[in-house]
Amino acid sequence: MTPRIAVALLLAGTLPAASAPRAAALPDRFDGTWSVEIITETGNCDRAYRYPVRIERGRARFIGTAFVVEGGVARNGAIRGSISNGAATADVRGRLGSDGFGAGTWVSTGALACRGHWNAERRG
């Protein structure tokens, strides 16, 4: 897996869903810094990556990437999203927990056809 696809997988799992209702006065309980590990189970992608992702008001921030990201984190922590870099698209599913941990699965198609799982841990 290229570093760009790995970063994309992280972001896809941490962006807010456009349809998720948000209360302006309530802080998002998933805000903070998360360390996300991406593990490949099948396909020709690299075995594993780990990246930090900053979530602010339910939106992920990872400076220096060039991806199209759609989907996100619902108020209950459910993750559903996709991300593409033009050559491949990754579909990401899972959940972040209020206990500071999260997990899910990912599948990429296109130039890189791989699948695996991811784990996340809040770091701040």
Side-chain angles (χ1 to χ4, degrees), residues 20-116:
R22 303 190 68 76
L26 296 175
D28 192 305
R29 67 183 184 171
F30 303 108
D31 282 4
T33 302
W34 292 78
S35 176
V36 182
E37 177 183 41
I38 312 270
I39 300 169
T40 301
E41 296 170 344
T42 62
N44 293 326
C45 297
D46 290 339
R47 172 68 180 135
Y49 287 97
R50 181 176 292 276
Y51 291 101
V53 173
R54 177 82 183 156
I55 301 174
E56 295 174 340
R57 293 186 307 263
R59 293 197 170 273
R61 182 172 54 101
F62 198 94
I63 299 171
T65 60
F67 299 101
V68 175
V69 178
E70 297 177 359
V73 179
R75 298 291 290 169
N76 68 357
I79 293 172
R80 182 176 178 155
S82 67
I83 188 158
S84 68
N85 70 353
T89 298
D91 182 45
V92 178
R93 302 286 188 261
R95 184 171 301 275
L96 294 178
S98 59
D99 62 355
F101 295 93
T105 59
W106 61 270
V107 178
S108 67
T109 57
L112 294 170
C114 302
R115 68 178 47 236

